[in-house]
Amino acid sequence: MKDITRICFIGWGVVGQGLTEILLEQKSELKNRYGFQFKVVAIADKVKGSVYDENGLDLAKLLKIVKETGKINDYPEGIKGWDSIKTITESNANLVVEASWTDINTGEPAISHVKAAIKCYKHVVMTNKGPIALAAKDLLKMAEKNGVQLKFEGTVLSGTPAISLGLNNLAGSKITKIMGIVNGTTNYILSEMEKGLEYETALKQAQQLGYAEADPTADVEGYDALGKVVILSNVILGANITKDQVPCKGITKITSKDIEEAKKEGKRWKLIAGVELKDDGSVEAFVKPQKIPLDHPLASVGGPINALTYTTKYLGDITIVGPGAGREATGYALLTDILDIHRSLTK
Amino acid sequence: MKDITRICFIGWGVVGQGLTEILLEQKSELKNRYGFQFKVVAIADKVKGSVYDENGLDLAKLLKIVKETGKINDYPEGIKGWDSIKTITESNANLVVEASWTDINTGEPAISHVKAAIKCYKHVVMTNKGPIALAAKDLLKMAEKNGVQLKFEGTVLSGTPAISLGLNNLAGSKITKIMGIVNGTTNYILSEMEKGLEYETALKQAQQLGYAEADPTADVEGYDALGKVVILSNVILGANITKDQVPCKGITKITSKDIEEAKKEGKRWKLIAGVELKDDGSVEAFVKPQKIPLDHPLASVGGPINALTYTTKYLGDITIVGPGAGREATGYALLTDILDIHRSLTK
């Protein structure tokens, strides 16, 4: 049995179900191509209820039931009623998919979930920005001490592998600067404004398309980008900064006149999140709208697409471009973390 | 001693010395940040001679000597006179950096070097396109059978981590298509033609800058790109094709008139190497100039820069942009492979 990963889901909303669908669809490919075999033994969701079966759940059946009734409890087999912490600590899962909601201010309950998992020597994957922006260093230290892995590719640029690019692929390249477009909502709004829309109209359109929330503050004021730049600073550049140390300006003050002026200069407004490593080892991070020259790789990144440029000593600039959100892309981010853990354990 | 990697270099020209300089410069960072400790125990170069010291060579001293006299034999200590194969098989190295010259038609002598290393259970890293374009599948199978790793990030896009992106980071994303700009020389020439130069003038300029060889055939006829698309097809998409199965057209027939016409259509000529996975599991690869719409991420990739777009089921398009050549970038490609092996062995 030691080659079979036993997974439990904490939180089973859009992202958790997105991953579940990919796992079902890819089951044989994952086994044949990557040697990855798994069963999902437990799911605990604050709203939908919970179920545990040490021999594995029938995911297709469970998805169907939850789509019909909204209740995990309607699944006929298994133990019901365990809460998140009990599911993490007492199930036979060896990997926890933390996909509960994001509280960017406290990081809870996700931080408690992660700590509980690490304490009982279970690997964790998550796409939840809150805990990572607030406590990445402590959580990673705990995980290392207990010999387990904590992965969170989806917290920045969703399934686009921006974090593993910086952490693994560019290891040893001496990264001195990271800057990018890390919020799709504001990038979409700026792209639409360039086509002639006023800010308010572009925002409404983004809301209709599901790119922006009813309360768009977190996106348009730059707070979402702020959380991501804190993660990049601490995880990739080894800094130890908090949100309140980073100057943050959103796009609400950008006018059609600003857009036109940039056009005349051969430039384009983008909401840029950036961080630079200083010679003394400290970092300087920011979130602010910037005019980017049209021949810069970030300039052509339009609509809800995200991108990140790593400036390195040995390679110059390396840019990655891809989706920054979405059910499948974020579900896939968890799979990429799971496969990364699998690869490292079986090599 | 088991945590210390013992490295031998086969071939010590621009790329090998490039890596050596990075290793020297980064020695303490590699140890402190990545837990990677190494010594270089042997270097064998067809022209410069060879040296072996089981306790490790003084790299700074050796670099200085070779810069002055061109001869590895002038290094005062160690055993001299071993050829490549003897160095691979009889030194105590456990990792071979294969950096000899590229013969894109036979793959030799590099293929023999790789086989010799794998046979005596040594890991191999290389940036040499020839062996990988010709024999990737066989060599990888041999390596897997013997429990060692063969890595070749630098064969496509040099140090830009395009191969590991497709192989590892995008594992499970269901890649259906790969296309990109994989030759810097032709991309530079096309960029200069767009500024108004004729083909011949742009080529001469590329030669003066060292971007193009005196005989530019391999670049401008697309053969270099062809080797790379064969590698991507076989390594990333699991195909088993050879160069002669891929239609290949270079840029020598592109005229200033073509460039102007594309401009009027809001497009830009790029030499594109691409491969698509068909429903029946076969692949269709090509190298040819294409007119790319200006809002496509590949369109803004100018000069000697390279880029690759992976089209995936779960993430849509993921594009990586970075250098495609250069002493440091290619030397760094070897380091990224070495660290990847180190990471997998120590996790």
Side-chain angles (χ1 to χ4, degrees), chain B residues 69-111:
Chain B
T69 74
K71 289 188 188 135
I72 291 172
N73 283 1
D74 290 340
Y75 183 82
E77 291 93 32
I79 300 167
K80 309 286 157 57
W82 286 13
D83 66 10
S84 298
I85 297 291
K86 187 162 182 177
T87 301
I88 292 166
T89 53
E90 297 193 23
S91 75
N92 68 348
N94 51 12
L95 187 144
V96 176
V97 176
E98 209 295 327
S100 69
W101 67 93
T102 294
D103 182 329
I104 192 76
N105 293 312
T106 68
E108 290 296 353
I111 287 182

Side-chain angles (χ1 to χ4, degrees), chain B residues 62-71 74:
Chain B
L62 191 55
L63 271 172
K64 193 165 170 281
I65 288 168
V66 168
K67 261 169 204 158
E68 281 166 16
T69 74
K71 289 188 188 135
D74 290 340

Side-chain angles (χ1 to χ4, degrees), chain A residues 206-267:
Chain A
Q207 285 168 324
Q208 277 157 8
L209 287 166
Y211 294 151
E213 309 275 337
D215 176 0
T217 315
D219 289 321
V220 299
E221 296 294 356
Y223 305 145
D224 171 74
L226 175 60
K228 291 168 181 170
V229 83
V230 168
I231 293 175
L232 292 169
S233 302
N234 293 349
V235 172
I236 309 282
L237 294 181
N240 205 358
I241 59 169
T242 55
K243 279 190 298 175
D244 49 301
Q245 293 168 298
V246 180
C248 177
K249 192 177 163 190
I251 62 160
T252 53
K253 300 282 193 303
I254 305 262
T255 63
S256 299
K257 203 181 142 211
D258 295 326
I259 301 274
E260 280 311 308
E261 267 179 26
K263 256 190 206 174
K264 278 177 205 153
E265 298 168 24
K267 292 179 177 170

Side-chain angles (χ1 to χ4, degrees), chain B residues 134 137-138 141 230 233-235 237-242 245 281 283:
Chain B
L134 290 166
K137 285 217 153 176
D138 289 344
K141 208 178 286 175
V230 167
S233 303
N234 293 349
V235 172
L237 294 181
N240 205 357
I241 58 168
T242 56
Q245 293 170 297
V283 298

Side-chain angles (χ1 to χ4, degrees), chain B residues 318-337:
Chain B
I318 300 287
T319 300
I320 187 160
V321 185
R327 174 190 174 94
E328 279 201 326
T330 312
Y332 171 75
L334 293 163
L335 177 60
T336 197
D337 283 340

